[in-house]
């Protein structure tokens, strides 16, 4: 059973069983509830309620070999033999499932969730980056964990240019404060509060980013394997915007404009053993975010910006491409926000008309497709657009 709970990072950071997500997180969870249909194995159950989701599933099954079914959250306990696979685990989700009658044996214990919260802290990325730079001299980036305000301020004063401060635990692209020049009194108060609540703060100089990418891995019973590349885009704030739908080979070709294939292959070989050492008790996906950065004379890789111990949009895009995109096509996967009522519906109608969908044997050759249902009330949409490669 697959469940999309995008508030997971915030809930895990809060670590309260009675945590209430912000309204925006609840809205995106509702609007994109059907997203696991595209990455769950066939014959899975996806927790997505309502007629919109049912109609959407019927619509996509006409063109794609998707054999999963939909259930409501309250029905999860009716399938005791099924494994529950959420976007990520946290105490609030555990309590919600217990309250619906799910047996405690099927859920992670609170001690296991405490371990997961520690594993998910950005301080591990600080340590990993240090190890990586000791291995090779062609990586870039600096990252430090400070447990007091004085040391943090000394670091900020010692570096020219812009800096960023990060909470150890927060949502991806969230919990960041950008220091443009000198730190303000308000930012110092934020820093003091984060250190008090989470034990420290991460401080880094801002790099000249050229391209975001990630290496995706899967951990199972102490073994970690490479699952694919993710070539993605993020806003200046760090918020996720979307992924390119490309094969792993084409992503390597794209990145090789800046860095050597040898460097990428070295990272693919380095990480499995290290991730197994860092997170021996963890089972599931691990996305390691990286950046290509411009330096004075060349491009370098910042090889460990962040490590996400959960399902992630890069992995969704990887699976979607490999399952549903035609061999000779490529495109992009986007998670979009539409503020006004009816705006998402208008967007869908325009895109469908301008880029009609062409599907062959369950794979998209070209065109637009929304990957989650859209109504007049929809604010968040996952969609993709694909085109035939020029050489074809």
């Amino acid at each position: 059973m697959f469940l999309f709970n995008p508030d997971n990072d915030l809930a895990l950071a809060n670590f309260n069983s009675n945590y209430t997500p912000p309204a925006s997180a609840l809205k995106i969870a509702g609007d994109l509830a059907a997203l696991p249909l595209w990455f769950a194995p066939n014959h899975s159950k996806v927790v997505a309620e309502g007629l919109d989701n049912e109609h959407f599933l019927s619509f996509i099954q006409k063109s794609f070999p998707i054999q999963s079914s939909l259930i409501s959250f309250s029905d999860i306990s009716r399938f005791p033999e099924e494994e529950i696979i959420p976007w990520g685990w946290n105490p609030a989700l555990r309590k919600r499932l217990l309250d619906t009658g799910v047996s405690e044996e099927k859920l992670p214990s609170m001690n296991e969730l405490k371990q997961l919260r520690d594993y998910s802290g950005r301080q591990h990325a600080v340590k990993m980056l240090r190890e990586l730079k000791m291995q090779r001299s062609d990586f870039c980036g600096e990252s430090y964990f400070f447990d007091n305000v004085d040391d943090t301020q000394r670091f900020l004063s010692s570096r020219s240019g812009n800096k960023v401060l990060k909470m150890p635990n927060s949502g991806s692209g969230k919990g960041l404060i950008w220091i443009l020049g000198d730190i303000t009194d308000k930012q110092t108060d934020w820093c003091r509060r984060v250190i008090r609540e989470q034990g420290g703060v991460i401080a880094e100089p801002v790099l000249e980013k050229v391209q975001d990418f990630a290496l995706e891995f899967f951990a199972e019973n102490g073994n970690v394997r490479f699952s694919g590349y993710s070539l993605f885009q993020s806003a200046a704030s760090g918020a996720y915007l979307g992924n390119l739908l490309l094969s792993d080979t084409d992503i390597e070709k794209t990145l090789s404009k800046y860095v050597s294939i040898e460097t990428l292959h070295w990272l693919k070989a380095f990480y499995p053993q290290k991730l197994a050492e860092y997170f021996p008790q963890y089972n599931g996906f691990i996305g390691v975010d990286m950046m290509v950065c411009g330096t004075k004379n060349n491009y370098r890789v910042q090889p460990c910006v962040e490590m996400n111990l959960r399902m992630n949009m890069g992995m969704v895009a990887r699976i979607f491409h490999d399952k549903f995109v035609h061999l000779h096509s490529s495109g992009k996967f986007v998670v979009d926000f539409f503020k006004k009522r009816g705006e998402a519906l208008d967007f869908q109608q325009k895109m469908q008309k301008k880029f009609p969908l062409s599907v062959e044997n369950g794979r998209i050759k070209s065109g637009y497709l929304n990957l989650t249902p859209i109504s007049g009330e929809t604010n968040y949409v996952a969609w993709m657009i694909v085109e035939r490669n020029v050489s074809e």
Side-chain angles (χ1 to χ4, degrees), residues 195-248:
I195 290 171
R196 183 175 66 250
E197 293 177 356
Q198 297 197 15
V201 68
I202 315 298
E204 301 173 358
V206 175
L207 304 176
E208 186 183 323
K209 181 175 70 176
V210 174
Q211 177 64 62
D212 289 303
F213 72 103
L215 269 59
E216 306 285 350
F217 299 91
F218 189 80
E220 187 173 26
N221 300 324
N223 296 309
V224 179
R225 66 175 186 270
F226 177 68
S227 297
Y229 289 104
S230 162
L231 194 65
F232 67 98
Q233 296 171 313
S234 60
S237 64
Y240 173 81
L241 295 176
N243 264 78
L244 293 184
L245 295 171
L246 296 169
S247 68
D248 279 343

